Amino acid sequence: MIDLKPIVISGKEVLPLVEGGKGINGSDGRSSGAWAHENCVGTFSGVSPDYYDSEGHVIIEKYLKKDRKERHAEMIEQSIKGGVAQAQIAHEVSGGNGRIHMNMLWELGGSEEILNGVLEKAKGLIHGVTCGAGLPYRLGEIAARFEVYYYPIVSSARAFQILWKRAYNRFCEYLGGVVYEDPWLAGGHNGLSNAEDPNSPQKPYMRLVELRKVMNSLGLEDRPIILAGGVWALDDWKDYINNPEIGKIAFQFGTRPMITKESPISDAWKKLMLHLKKGDVILQKFSPTGFFSSAIKNTFLERLIERKQGEISFSAEQTDDFNTPLKMATKTVYIKAEDMTKAQNQIAAGYTEIRETPDSTVVFLTPQEWAQMKEDRKNCVGCLSQCQFSSWSQANGSTGRMPDPRSYCIHKTLYDVSHNGSIKDNLLFAGHQVYRFATDPLYRNGIPSVKELIDRIKNGQ
């Protein structure tokens, strides 16, 4: 039996168990409300959340404007509607128990405007905001304005120090805690820095100890660290509980709550995860955000890997090394002689569209893939503050770099799979512990409710 004591989170004493917020629509008002109902912390995603018509049916996103800036404004408007709708549902389901948090992606296009809009229109329904994917330096200012608690998501003590010195020291009252997300084990986007090896994972213990030392030096001894990424069962983390080196701690569950009755993901997605094996989730860097991310290896991801493996360096001018001409649609470039067989094999296999990347390389696509890529870029809604796939920049309209054909439209694929789209041909974010579904006794007799899952977690299992 785990010695699990309640702690204060977002102004109320609750169990130190937190539902991870997964976007797009990986966690919503139903799931987060159910977690809060059990006197835990529920978290709904603020990234393109659903909203509903008068009969309770989901209103599927539509973008009517031709100009991308105007479509971007439409996206923000719809996201605010969705955030308010999910907050209302979570509040009703919770029955006034626990805490309700909203999770935001800082690199989301319009994130500040969306966060301000939801907190303004859903006053009293949201108790805290978690935010990562970048350095959310204005998070404290926004949260304090609406008197809600904020929880930056970081993967190192250094990242938190930067945020504290730049902004958070001025908004200490509403800093509810710090989420430490293991960059090697977490699902979705991860906070690996350029100095860290994606193939050499570090155990989180000493990184947590370092974070706690920094927090204590800043007078934050009473603020919890919320451990995220790779959290499945509390039995795995006994040494972290009631440990003076780590201090007050809570545990965030991201992947495991995806298979519950209240989870909004499709039945097909749940069924797939029940049969995954160790290694079926891979850490890769295809996301148009530029961050590493962890996702299930399926047809969608395999094609990105294949495209990357077929990549060839080139020179615009003929040189001693780059001396073999390769004809593209509008020009001829020069590749190394030893790469010509690789190029010819791809062309012979039907990958006849040769497209330049921003890094002086070319990749090979089918005509259908290239047509779809052009269509996706044409329909861009500016879902990221800056995007490698479409070259959109919220600040300047363009990043100034050419679009990268090694990437993809992240909004399109995540929205599609979260609304019953193909689980083979879309991106499926998941944490690296997902293989444990296959052997976890909780899932042998069907899909559990959130209450059944939390009861099992409380027992350490």
Side-chain angles (χ1 to χ4, degrees), residues 374-413:
K374 290 190 291 183
E375 181 70 13
D376 291 344
R377 287 173 179 156
K378 185 183 75 172
N379 295 330
C380 173
V381 300
C383 73
L384 298 174
S385 62
Q386 52 183 5
C387 177
Q388 294 181 356
F389 173 75
S390 68
S391 294
W392 157 264
S393 167
Q394 182 179 306
N396 305 310
S398 171
T399 61
R401 302 190 81 200
M402 70 170 60
D404 195 335
R406 296 166 296 188
S407 191
Y408 53 87
C409 177
I410 193 166
H411 182 272
K412 172 191 170 184
T413 184

Side-chain angles (χ1 to χ4, degrees), residues 82-102:
V84 174
Q86 298 308 323
Q88 291 170 336
I89 292 170
H91 176 73
E92 292 169 4
V93 173
S94 74
N97 297 332
R99 298 280 86 176
I100 300 296
H101 287 183
M102 173 178 169

Side-chain angles (χ1 to χ4, degrees), residues 62-65 70-78:
K62 290 182 180 178
Y63 296 94
L64 305 177
K65 304 294 184 181
E70 292 180 320
R71 291 197 300 273
H72 179 64
E74 287 182 291
M75 183 204 72
I76 291 172
E77 180 184 2
Q78 293 180 84

Side-chain angles (χ1 to χ4, degrees), residues 42-180:
T43 311
F44 69 87
S45 170
V47 181
S48 294
D50 283 338
Y51 62 104
Y52 310 90
D53 62 21
S54 59
E55 296 181 354
H57 300 127
V58 173
I59 298 176
I60 299 299
E61 286 184 346
K62 290 182 180 178
Y63 296 94
L64 305 177
K65 304 294 184 181
K66 293 184 178 180
D67 180 78
R68 181 157 54 181
K69 287 186 177 180
E70 292 180 320
R71 291 197 300 273
H72 179 64
E74 287 182 291
M75 183 204 72
I76 291 172
E77 180 184 2
Q78 293 180 84
S79 294
I80 292 172
K81 288 181 181 178
V84 174
Q86 298 308 323
Q88 291 170 336
I89 292 170
H91 176 73
E92 292 169 4
V93 173
S94 74
N97 297 332
R99 298 280 86 176
I100 300 296
H101 287 183
M102 173 178 169
N103 183 66
M104 282 297 289
L105 182 82
W106 191 247
E107 289 301 316
L108 178 73
S111 60
E112 293 184 48
E113 193 171 345
I114 293 167
L115 190 52
N116 276 297
V118 174
L119 293 179
E120 173 66 38
K121 295 176 183 296
K123 287 182 178 178
L125 304 181
I126 298 170
H127 309 111
V129 178
T130 58
C131 188
L135 291 173
Y137 61 93
R138 292 197 61 196
L139 177 62
E141 177 186 348
I142 295 170
R145 185 184 311 137
F146 293 99
E147 299 182 330
V148 302
Y149 293 89
Y150 66 101
Y151 300 80
I153 301 173
V154 300
S155 58
S156 68
R158 180 177 176 272
F160 179 67
Q161 281 181 303
I162 292 171
L163 288 166
W164 177 265
K165 290 178 180 178
R166 183 170 180 178
Y168 293 172
N169 64 88
R170 301 193 302 275
F171 306 99
C172 180
E173 180 183 359
Y174 288 99
L175 177 64
V178 180
V179 180
Y180 170 80

Side-chain angles (χ1 to χ4, degrees), residues 70-343:
E70 292 180 320
R71 291 197 300 273
H72 179 64
E74 287 182 291
M75 183 204 72
I76 291 172
E77 180 184 2
Q78 293 180 84
S79 294
I80 292 172
K81 288 181 181 178
V84 174
Q86 298 308 323
Q88 291 170 336
I89 292 170
H91 176 73
E92 292 169 4
V93 173
S94 74
N97 297 332
R99 298 280 86 176
I100 300 296
H101 287 183
M102 173 178 169
N103 183 66
M104 282 297 289
L105 182 82
W106 191 247
E107 289 301 316
L108 178 73
S111 60
E112 293 184 48
E113 193 171 345
I114 293 167
L115 190 52
N116 276 297
V118 174
L119 293 179
E120 173 66 38
K121 295 176 183 296
K123 287 182 178 178
L125 304 181
I126 298 170
H127 309 111
V129 178
T130 58
C131 188
L135 291 173
Y137 61 93
R138 292 197 61 196
L139 177 62
E141 177 186 348
I142 295 170
R145 185 184 311 137
F146 293 99
E147 299 182 330
V148 302
Y149 293 89
Y150 66 101
Y151 300 80
I153 301 173
V154 300
S155 58
S156 68
R158 180 177 176 272
F160 179 67
Q161 281 181 303
I162 292 171
L163 288 166
W164 177 265
K165 290 178 180 178
R166 183 170 180 178
Y168 293 172
N169 64 88
R170 301 193 302 275
F171 306 99
C172 180
E173 180 183 359
Y174 288 99
L175 177 64
V178 180
V179 180
Y180 170 80
E181 185 176 74
D182 187 299
W184 289 277
L185 292 177
H189 291 106
N190 299 295
L192 275 175
S193 70
N194 292 329
E196 292 166 326
D197 185 349
N199 299 313
S200 299
Q202 298 176 18
K203 291 185 177 180
Y205 186 85
M206 291 311 301
R207 294 166 74 95
L208 283 180
V209 170
E210 181 63 25
L211 176 58
R212 175 53 69 190
K213 286 179 180 178
V214 168
M215 292 174 67
N216 288 352
S217 72
L218 300 172
L220 302 173
E221 298 93 339
D222 62 327
R223 315 299 165 90
I225 294 174
I226 300 175
L227 176 60
V231 178
W232 187 271
L234 294 184
D235 276 342
D236 302 333
W237 307 94
K238 287 179 180 178
D239 294 342
Y240 292 61
I241 299 172
N242 301 321
N243 185 322
E245 285 195 300
I246 293 175
K248 192 179 292 185
I249 188 169
F251 297 88
Q252 179 170 300
F253 296 78
T255 298
R256 204 174 180 193
M258 293 178 75
I259 303 186
T260 61
K261 292 176 181 176
E262 294 87 349
S263 169
I265 70 170
S266 69
D267 290 341
W269 192 348
K270 292 176 185 178
K271 183 178 180 180
L272 173 69
M273 290 197 296
L274 284 169
H275 298 94
L276 293 178
K277 302 181 296 296
K278 196 169 187 176
D280 283 344
V281 169
I282 60 172
L283 182 63
Q284 36 70 37
K285 206 175 182 183
F286 295 113
S287 170
T289 62
F291 297 124
F292 279 93
S293 67
S294 293
I296 296 170
K297 191 175 181 180
N298 61 358
T299 304
F300 179 87
L301 203 52
E302 286 172 347
R303 177 62 191 123
L304 289 171
I305 294 170
E306 184 182 53
R307 188 179 301 162
K308 176 67 178 174
Q309 290 172 340
E311 187 175 7
I312 295 175
S313 298
F314 77 89
S315 170
E317 304 292 334
Q318 189 170 15
T319 68
D320 289 342
D321 288 332
F322 294 90
N323 53 22
T324 304
L326 177 69
K327 290 185 178 181
M328 297 176 63
T330 58
K331 63 181 179 180
T332 297
V333 297
Y334 296 89
I335 63 176
K336 295 178 180 179
E338 59 263 34
D339 285 334
M340 181 47 97
T341 299
K342 184 178 181 180

